[in-house]
Amino acid sequence: MAGQRRGFFCGSLDHSLSRRGFLGAAAAGAATFATDMTALNVLQQPAFASELKKQQKRVILLWLAGGSSQLETWDPKPGAATGGPFRAIQTAVPGVQISELMPKMAQRMKHTCIVRSLNTKDGDHGGGAKLMMRGRRDEANVQYPDLGAVLAREMGRVDSQVPDYVSFYFATEGRGFAPGSSGFLGARYAPMELTQSMIPENIRRLADINDLDHAERADLRDLLSKQFTQGRVNSTTSSHNEAYQRVRGLMSSEKLFDISQEPQKMRDLYGPTQFGEQVLAARRLIEAGVPFVRVARAWWDSHGQNFETHQEMVPELDHVMATLLDDLEQRGLLEHTLVVTLAEFGRTPGINASLGRDHFASAWSATLSGCGIKGGAVYGKSDPTGNRVVDGQVGAAELFATIYRALGISPTKNYYVGSRPVPLTEPGTKAIDAVLA
Amino acid sequence: MASANPDQLKLARNLNSKGILFGIARLANSSRAFVGSSDFKVYEVDLTDVKAEPKELGAHNSYVTSVAVADKTIISGSYDGRLIWWDAEKRSQIRAVDAHGKWIRRVLATPDGKVAISVADDMKCRLWDVESGKMLRELSGHKAETPHHFPSMLYACAVSADGKYVATGDKVGHVVVWDVATGKELATVETPVMYTWDPMQRRHSIGGIRSLAFSADGKQLAVGGMGKVGNIDHLEGKARVEVFDWQKGERTHEFPGDKFSGLVQQLTFHPDGEWLLGAGGANDGFLQFFNLKDKKVLRQEKVAMHVHGFALNEESDTIYAVGHGKIMVYEMKA
Amino acid sequence: MNMLRVRQVLLFLLLVFASRSVIGADEPPPAEKPIGNVVDHFIDLKLKQENITPAPQADDATFIRRLTLDLVGRIPTAAETKAFVESTDPEKRVRLIDRLMASPGFVRHQATEFDTMLMYGTQASIRDYLVQALTENRPWDRIFREVLLPEETDAKQKVAGEFVRKRVNDLDRLTNDVSVVFFGVNISCAQCHDHPKVEDWKQDHFFGMKAFFSRTFDNGGFLAEREAGVVKFRTTEGKDRQARLMFLSGKAIDDASVREMTADEAKKEKDRFEASKKAKTPPPKPTFSARAQLVEMALQPEQREFFARSIVNRIWHRLYGQGLVMPLDQMHSKNPPSHPELLEWLARDTAEHNYDLRRLIRGLVLSKAYSRSSRWQGEDAPAPRLFAVGAVRPLTPMQMAASLQIATAAPGSFPALEKNEEFEKRIENMEASVRGFASSIEQPRDNFQIGVGEALLFSNSDRLQKQFLGDAGDRLLGALKVIKDEKELVEVAVRNIYARNPTEEEIRVLIAYLQKRQDRPIEASRQMLWALLASTEFRFNH
């Protein structure tokens, strides 16, 4: 009886198999999966050596919000009517050229692969941002966790003293389009979002309580709560207590956010811009074990004056990204750390009357550097004008599968929403083997 | 009495072009003009013949941003950092010079045709001997970085009628007037409104001084750009012109713009000082005539393209405006 | 009715029949039977069937806290709890329910709840309208009508129009939100393709529903509707189709206005709309309003099932922590209710009693199922859908903020309960003072997880300290300052915050905590209060 009565999924086992069924799984049963969530946490205990190895891996996502232009970065088309004024330059990898606005990355292409054949079909900021942060579209009743939340769960530790998912997004434009979202994984994997200050809100003890009292007050709270929750456990009460249990650990991670702890020389290397400082903070965080940090650089939406905007912003990206890769390499972290550049979409090859480029999701680029990546590889190809993909077309799902594989996570791994298995990427999705080490 | 009357301004004809045209220069007392295009090429066009195909002179390696005529010599500047000298009669290249380390934004010639002047995003202004192609002088002082640590740009320059003064204007609204003879800075003026840095919402900038012009007597200096911009994704600031008595360091005129949005890309004084003409645009464009005596806008007219540059005829009663895909000829005969 | 629908209905009848036959000879309760008894009848039947003995009734202190939170959106004061617990009146639960429902706090809380339900995600509020409507106890069908068809000449009703106005620029969203909020169905899947497994929802349904709204638009801040218009869509098979004005049940209206307007008509109409825009008046109404047709159709006796079942399910969900159908927007044939007959009975009863939600709420909180203990003593707790044990529900932002304010007020600072008007005024002022704090608490939804942000806010923000934990005379901490006896101090604190007496164990632990900090007694008390306020018991309605 119990097995059949919840017939509100579009089926049951065929979800993991049938694409049609998957789409139709609108009625995902939020009702029961919550209780599974508490159990899921237990599964995160590092049980095997391979798990331990996996947990050393880290990701920094450089989120180029608003949509940077592939033509002025990773897929230049010099000389084409759509190519714009900037030239292409040879990189350290024979045969691979990128925009002249990125001379520093050109020298470091041995760490980086470019995917030049994204066709993601959504040229809307909100839709595109959600798609590219989650690797798929939400269904009416299944809100998917984004990349950060999935990796926080896959690579974070239950007893972690550091946050699992940190997101810097100071610019106000576009921040609301794809706020960090843990979807059905719940608030445990929601990001610590920094939007105004480099130090997270409420992470510092108030001056009028001493440290011991602060700790013992928390113990008293736990004790009172434990009495109450006897015979009253559900996923929400559990989340309440888990949240408090993480407070002290998070407070001890305050220094990780403080870039003044870095030698001046290191700060000078990253440079004085906000993006540079946040990427330096991101490096400090992942070095301390934070599995996922997003640094959003907004706002690239160059409807007017595309070339001026990219002339201004690309050199900063070039400099900061190159500095980050150097720094990670020198610390021996690059082989464990995946650096991703991604946006909600790219920009039109066509140049509009304001010398701008508009939204374009049909043929654009992303890069993966470091961990698990075949450096110097270029995957896929756009046509000579950049208007469409002519080789190796991939979407968000394939890119996400590739990221998971690079980190040693199986893209077919299932989460369970109620009894419904939800694989990390949609069934049948293939990772891009050609760029994996 | 002047032959030109802005009240009579009307579109006379459109000429075809190839690509987006960024600059135009006329050969004096002729219907011949030279344009620089986004297809990297320099073309000669016949300004009277709507059917004529543009004739190619040759190519740069990037967008041709500006063209100057120095007597019978044509000089073009490009994002490829080169200046190319062309023989107007033979339509052939005379020489190419690696003139700047970064993108060249504007090239001019002195009225006597002896000296060429270029500005580029290496933040330098360089003076060239037209005859030999040798560099005569470098005017250097604009800051390479904006106060917000991003690359600045040097968009605009102008030279006085007597060839004694050169003015240069950069992205953050800083203008320098130089003494050509000594290479020294004579004066600076500031137009900070023309630079919009958005620290919070979008965190980059837009704007910059895009045009400069000296009055015939060299005393007045007009500066063109765009006012403050709310949404810097678009050229939505008001077209803006300020005029200075640069020797006194005084701003004498402010035209903040009331009708058109976008950048003022080029400015020219009427030789008799009757008006100042500005042109530019955003998605569409505009022509604006200012009466400096009365501090009034004489006439402002919408143009169906963003005007990147224009040239006047000898009578100052015909405007040859260039932009996206065409050349538009406006007449205002008295 | 097409074959599929027929099949569906048959299937449904079969299901109902089958479940009846399991129940046996029990006849459905008569219509005049009190709601609470009917609830218990069906809930207990199912429990018997599953061989489960439900949890015992909650004690008085737990009951008054739960009821006060549910009816007026706050915890009871220590005095309210004491009076209720000590009362020997056998009818005291009914009297309490009636007192709370008669208080202005009931209207305020219901307005907040309905505002959240109707306006979630729009960054707008129609609370002012709802307060007025609920003060007059307007029936739910009238509120539905006023929200979808506001008389915008009436300022209060114009506020109600925000529901449509905030969504009208995205008709797909408006279509789906109306379906979700008022009819309990989410048809957004059917926008792109026929629902593959749930036969109820075809593209025809989505676009049929959209057709009711497609002529509506914002005309200078007023809602306008065109005389004619048509929605076209392409089926997954690639066929171009024209939508009929079709309700979720499949019933459609064919009207001559389902057509394209001529250019001339469109121009004339546009001129009329422009004129009203200039005059800043509501535009003329169309002779045939598609939007009004939807309202009429949805309330027709043969069609009202969606409307009635949905509101019953939502109110039930609010009071019982779990809908009779879950999720709330998936009321379709493939997702049957946990107690189909009960839902049917309540829906019919509510419709027949003029959609009087006060009556429904009163009935639902009078059941034994509502007042069970939330603690399960045995091994595995039964599934929530059996309602064998009281629900443990996170407080809403406003419940949380108001309760914090009441819990931390000095017990002596309240007017006596007999001075009803003064007491209510004080409560109202206290609520008003914490609306800002409420906005820092997250609105719970299904499967809600409390994030570390809230724990950090409580642990380290000075807002909690400043707003609630000061030691002025009207604050709890101020009152504790002057209590010398530690046991008494602990009792006062626990009664104020938890609305119950402390256990022996709690007294021991809390006194030990205070004694360890004898050199700083105010700090010690403040920390103790913090631990009580931040605890799970306070955070939840249980």
Side-chain angles (χ1 to χ4, degrees), chain B residues 106 108 156-161 165-169 175 177 209-224 241-244 246 264-270 275-278 292 310:
Chain B
R106 186 68 60 99
L108 297 172
C157 63
V159 61
S160 62
Y165 310 124
V166 165
T168 52
V175 183
V177 181
I209 291 171
R210 302 303 182 103
S211 49
L212 290 164
F214 282 102
S215 58
D217 62 7
K219 286 187 176 151
Q220 287 178 304
L221 177 63
V223 185
V241 173
E242 298 180 30
V243 183
F244 293 84
W246 61 270
V264 176
Q265 297 277 16
Q266 188 164 344
L267 286 163
T268 298
F269 279 89
H270 187 274
W275 37 253
L276 169 68
L277 168 60
L292 296 190
F310 65 84

Side-chain angles (χ1 to χ4, degrees), chain B residues 75-232:
Chain B
I75 303 167
S76 59
S78 160
Y79 264 76
D80 66 7
R82 294 192 304 164
L83 293 173
I84 300 183
W85 270 248
W86 311 90
D87 182 318
E89 296 315 315
K90 297 181 191 155
R91 285 198 283 276
S92 63
Q93 181 174 323
I94 298 169
R95 72 174 71 82
V97 174
D98 286 324
H100 289 273
K102 282 194 174 174
W103 306 284
I104 294 173
R105 297 292 190 161
R106 186 68 60 99
V107 51
L108 297 172
T110 51
D112 64 10
K114 294 208 158 77
V115 177
I117 301 152
S118 59
V119 286
D121 287 347
D122 57 7
M123 305 309 284
K124 294 181 168 59
C125 176
R126 287 180 170 151
L127 310 185
W128 309 87
D129 180 50
V130 170
E131 182 64 35
S132 67
K134 294 255 166 4
M135 188 170 82
L136 298 170
R137 198 175 277 297
E138 176 178 292
L139 308 175
S140 173
H142 286 275
K143 288 201 177 80
E145 274 194 358
T146 67
H148 310 100
H149 311 292
F150 288 89
S152 187
M153 297 157 202
L154 190 60
Y155 290 114
C157 63
V159 61
S160 62
D162 58 10
K164 282 186 182 166
Y165 310 124
V166 165
T168 52
D170 67 17
K171 175 159 188 173
V172 299
H174 180 64
V175 183
V176 181
V177 181
W178 310 84
D179 182 343
V180 170
T182 64
K184 294 243 161 68
E185 275 192 34
L186 289 176
T188 60
V189 299
E190 306 293 337
T191 58
V193 179
M194 294 189 191
Y195 169 67
T196 301
W197 162 254
D198 176 347
M200 183 53 75
Q201 202 169 349
R202 293 178 172 82
R203 212 156 172 99
H204 67 98
S205 71
I206 198 164
I209 291 171
R210 302 303 182 103
S211 49
L212 290 164
F214 282 102
S215 58
D217 62 7
K219 286 187 176 151
Q220 287 178 304
L221 177 63
V223 185
M226 173 172 67
K228 284 288 180 237
V229 183
N231 175 353
I232 62 170

Side-chain angles (χ1 to χ4, degrees), chain B residues 255-309:
Chain B
F255 298 102
D258 57 358
K259 192 166 176 189
F260 295 112
S261 298
L263 297 158
V264 176
Q265 297 277 16
Q266 188 164 344
L267 286 163
T268 298
F269 279 89
H270 187 274
D272 301 335
E274 289 178 22
W275 37 253
L276 169 68
L277 168 60
N283 273 315
D284 292 326
F286 55 79
L287 292 168
Q288 293 176 310
F289 295 88
F290 306 100
N291 176 337
L292 296 190
K293 254 181 229 139
D294 302 342
K295 301 196 174 185
K296 277 193 180 134
V297 181
L298 271 179
R299 169 119 201 228
Q300 41 190 349
E301 193 66 20
K302 181 176 168 169
V303 177
M305 72 176 180
H306 181 141
V307 180
H308 291 295

Side-chain angles (χ1 to χ4, degrees), chain A residues 111-327:
Chain A
H111 299 303
T112 298
C113 80
I114 307 173
V115 177
R116 283 180 173 159
S117 50
L118 283 169
N119 179 359
T120 53
K121 301 187 169 80
D122 193 334
D124 171 67
H125 285 298
K130 283 189 186 71
L131 176 64
M132 298 317 293
M133 279 301 293
R134 297 172 195 184
R136 67 207 325 175
R137 284 187 196 295
D138 279 343
E139 295 169 34
N141 278 279
V142 180
Q143 263 124 42
Y144 287 106
D146 67 20
L147 184 65
V150 169
L151 296 181
R153 208 175 97 75
E154 292 300 313
M155 307 196 302
R157 259 172 275 175
V158 173
D159 54 352
S160 170
Q161 295 287 296
V162 296
D164 299 316
Y165 175 1
V166 175
S167 170
F168 292 90
Y169 198 139
F170 276 27
T172 52
E173 190 67 17
R175 199 197 289 156
F177 285 135
S181 162
S182 52
F184 64 67
L185 290 180
R188 169 66 181 80
Y189 298 105
M192 178 173 266
E193 294 201 285
L194 293 97
T195 57
Q196 285 170 20
S197 157
M198 291 284 282
I199 306 292
E201 222 182 346
N202 300 324
I203 202 172
R204 205 169 283 168
R205 177 170 54 80
L206 291 174
D208 49 14
I209 181 165
N210 70 42
D211 192 55
L212 185 65
D213 277 359
H214 190 279
E216 291 191 352
R217 185 181 76 166
D219 292 343
L220 180 62
R221 192 215 73 86
D222 286 348
L223 188 74
L224 293 167
S225 299
K226 260 190 204 111
Q227 290 195 338
F228 171 76
T229 48
Q230 270 172 23
R232 288 191 178 106
V233 174
N234 67 34
S235 76
T236 314
T237 56
S238 300
S239 73
H240 186 242
N241 287 307
E242 278 167 23
Y244 278 94
Q245 273 147 26
R246 295 185 66 215
V247 164
R248 298 277 302 172
L250 290 174
M251 287 170 68
S252 68
S253 73
E254 181 188 334
K255 275 210 167 84
L256 300 180
F257 292 88
D258 180 6
I259 56 166
S260 72
Q261 307 277 329
E262 289 284 326
Q264 190 57 43
K265 213 176 120 195
M266 183 53 69
R267 297 186 63 178
D268 291 345
L269 282 176
Y270 278 88
T273 65
Q274 188 183 74
F275 182 57
E277 292 190 337
Q278 291 176 352
V279 171
L280 174 56
R283 194 271 289 152
R284 286 177 61 78
L285 289 163
I286 61 114
E287 190 174 35
V290 177
F292 183 90
V293 182
R294 172 173 86 153
V295 183
R297 174 62 174 110
W299 179 248
W300 294 80
D301 199 17
S302 49
H303 291 289
Q305 299 275 292
N306 174 73
F307 307 112
E308 310 303 312
T309 299
H310 282 76
Q311 200 177 321
E312 180 175 40
M313 294 173 75
V314 179
E316 180 195 37
L317 171 65
D318 181 50
H319 173 78
V320 172
M321 185 174 173
T323 306
L324 174 65
L325 295 185
D326 288 353
D327 191 10

